[in-house]
Amino acid sequence: MEVSTIQERIADMARRYPERGLTSLNRYLTEDWLKAAFAKVQKNAAAGVDGVIAREYEGQMGNRLPELVKLAHSGEYIAPPVRRTYIEKPGKSEKRPLGIPTVEDKLLQRGVGMLIEPIYEAEFYNFSYGFRPGRSAHDAVKGLREAVTRMGTGWILDVDIRKFFDTLDHGHLQAFVRQRVRDGVLNRLIGKWLKAGILEDGECRSNQYGTPQWVSRGQTVNCK
């Protein structure tokens, strides 16, 4: 069954049962599903903590995917820490922290994302653009311009939540996800990614708040 067909089926279930968390989604998390997910992984991205780049992993994928699927379903998968790097913020001296996952971890994350994306796509408002497939910042600006013209708006309020990703509460986030996703395999994987930690300057920091990509507080732990 093609990815698009499965996603349409999931979206249909999400629309038919808006008050219910969906289960048994992990049955679609197969080798073929992850191969489709790998096609969406950026191939020229930097390597994670294991030093493996996408093209190198691609050559090993036939041997590695069966074990990856097995570990994901059994609960034995260990999410590796993300490698911390920083990029410049335009017009600011403060730098933006980024986390670089391993290719395999990124692949599995993408596979899970492809499963839960149709659920939330069925619920988002049309004026919501952030991190949605087929939508960009340019689309958001265009939509805003059209709305301002249509409604004759005189004021636009630009609000940013400082360090939002750095301070996300894991418990609240996971409870929010469980409202619509009640698949033990997927929920467990999401929890592991939240707790994966950050590798920076040779030290791995665990985190109680925030997503691994944006951790700034935590204690030193063993990354092995």
Side-chain angles (χ1 to χ4, degrees), residues 6-37:
I6 294 173
Q7 290 182 318
E8 288 172 6
R9 177 177 294 183
I10 294 172
D12 180 62
M13 288 192 296
R15 285 188 291 266
R16 285 192 288 128
Y17 306 107
E19 304 298 327
R20 188 184 305 175
L22 301 189
T23 61
S24 302
L25 296 172
N26 73 84
R27 69 180 184 271
Y28 299 120
L29 196 63
T30 63
E31 291 180 46
D32 286 339
W33 186 267
L34 291 182
K35 287 177 183 177

Side-chain angles (χ1 to χ4, degrees), residues 38 52-61 64 103-104 107:
F38 184 77
V52 177
I53 61 175
R55 298 193 184 282
E56 182 180 354
Y57 185 86
E58 188 172 15
Q60 308 168 357
M61 196 161 57
R64 298 183 67 159
V103 175
E104 187 164 75
L107 162 64

Side-chain angles (χ1 to χ4, degrees), residues 33-165:
W33 186 267
L34 291 182
K35 287 177 183 177
F38 184 77
K40 298 177 179 293
V41 171
Q42 188 178 356
K43 301 302 186 294
N44 60 349
V49 295
D50 60 359
V52 177
I53 61 175
R55 298 193 184 282
E56 182 180 354
Y57 185 86
E58 188 172 15
Q60 308 168 357
M61 196 161 57
N63 296 325
R64 298 183 67 159
L65 282 189
E67 182 67 12
L68 179 59
V69 171
K70 177 183 176 182
L71 292 174
H73 282 273
S74 67
E76 297 177 1
Y77 179 75
I78 299 176
V82 297
R83 182 167 66 83
R84 167 61 59 82
T85 188
Y86 294 87
I87 61 172
E88 300 287 344
K89 284 187 176 182
K92 297 183 179 180
S93 58
E94 182 182 5
K95 292 186 177 182
R96 183 185 303 278
L98 292 180
I100 303 176
T102 65
V103 175
E104 187 164 75
D105 199 48
K106 192 184 302 181
L107 162 64
L108 188 55
Q109 288 184 28
R110 177 71 70 172
V112 170
M114 287 163 52
L115 288 173
I116 66 177
E117 190 175 81
I119 299 173
Y120 295 104
E121 277 296 310
E123 299 185 354
F124 284 144
Y125 289 109
N126 190 51
F127 55 73
S128 181
Y129 290 88
F131 302 99
R132 294 180 64 185
R135 295 181 176 230
S136 67
H138 294 292
D139 295 321
V141 171
K142 180 182 177 182
L144 178 61
R145 182 170 59 245
E146 292 174 350
V148 168
T149 301
R150 184 175 64 254
M151 296 186 294
T153 303
W155 292 88
I156 297 176
L157 182 62
D158 181 14
V159 178
D160 184 25
I161 302 177
R162 180 174 174 79
K163 296 188 179 297
F164 173 76
F165 291 102

Side-chain angles (χ1 to χ4, degrees), residues 48 79-87 89 95-103 105-110 131 163-168 170 173 189-200 204-217:
V82 297
R83 182 167 66 83
R84 167 61 59 82
T85 188
Y86 294 87
I87 61 172
K89 284 187 176 182
K95 292 186 177 182
R96 183 185 303 278
L98 292 180
I100 303 176
T102 65
V103 175
D105 199 48
K106 192 184 302 181
L107 162 64
L108 188 55
Q109 288 184 28
R110 177 71 70 172
F131 302 99
K163 296 188 179 297
F164 173 76
F165 291 102
D166 186 45
T167 57
L168 276 172
H170 292 173
L173 179 59
L189 285 170
I190 292 171
K192 290 186 177 186
W193 285 320
L194 287 173
K195 300 293 186 182
I198 294 286
L199 182 65
E200 182 177 13
C204 185
R205 297 184 178 88
S206 66
N207 57 303
Q208 299 301 316
Y209 300 93
T211 61
Q213 288 84 351
W214 302 90
V215 172
S216 67
R217 53 176 105 168

